[in-house]
Amino acid sequence: MAVIHATTLQPNKLELLTEWLPAQEWYSGAEARPAQAGGFRLDDPAGEVGIELMVVTDGEGDAAVTYFTPMTYRSGPVAGAEPALIGTMEHGVLGRRWVHDATHDPVFVAQLYALLTGRAQAQAQSESGAPDPTVAVTPAPAEGPADAELVRVTGGTDHTDVVVRVPGASAPLTLRVHRVLRADAAPAPEGAGRVTAQWQLPDGTTARGEVAAVLTGPARA
């Protein structure tokens, strides 16, 4: 179970994202000023890695864009994932933490696959040991165990695709993480797993849409 500490972060998460977002190919703004708009967490079974799937909005009014920025928090960097490092922060309880783009972190990838196959549960973003009932999962058929091995990560203008290998599966699978969130986005194909979540828009209204899916067959554009 993830433990949420009431403590200080220096710099904080939004400050890190302000520097990181403009360098991402799916970011369409000019000067990042992200505001937290929602999100949830996943548990690391080993209790070592913090996993937060944060939603932020950037921009004002009708020009505001909603981004999905899953992050992992570790006591050291992920080996071989230097380009995925968002930055480091000083945590008031845990000390220095290395913050990564979670799509390059094998612990996150395994837990995302477990969520998409109905074998993990979304947790509240700011409360320890509390499931998040606003996150809905249509589980994909599970092939083999819940563990999924990260093979490669590819980018797109509004998404990141994570190819995984699952022991016993007939072929590698693609987990699509949407980066630009849209309430009217096309859902996953019939029989594929999908996760939907909700977020708050700048005008105070709530939107819901797909944040991640298991792709079957050729990847959708």
Side-chain angles (χ1 to χ4, degrees), residues 57-154:
T57 55
D58 183 69
E60 299 180 354
D62 293 340
V65 180
T66 303
Y67 297 103
F68 189 46
T69 59
M71 296 179 283
T72 57
Y73 311 114
R74 287 175 166 264
S75 59
V78 177
E82 290 79 7
L85 182 66
I86 296 175
T88 60
M89 63 170 59
E90 293 298 326
H91 189 284
V93 175
L94 301 175
R96 177 157 293 187
R97 305 294 283 172
W98 275 254
V99 184
H100 293 84
D101 173 5
T103 60
H104 294 259
D105 191 315
V107 172
F108 166 76
V109 171
Q111 291 313 299
L112 178 62
Y113 176 70
L115 178 68
L116 283 161
T117 52
R119 294 180 287 191
Q121 187 172 32
Q123 301 294 309
Q125 190 171 24
S126 303
E127 185 177 352
S128 300
D132 187 337
T134 70
V135 178
V137 179
T138 302
E143 295 192 64
D147 293 334
E149 178 188 353
L150 173 59
V151 176
R152 64 181 179 274
V153 180
T154 60

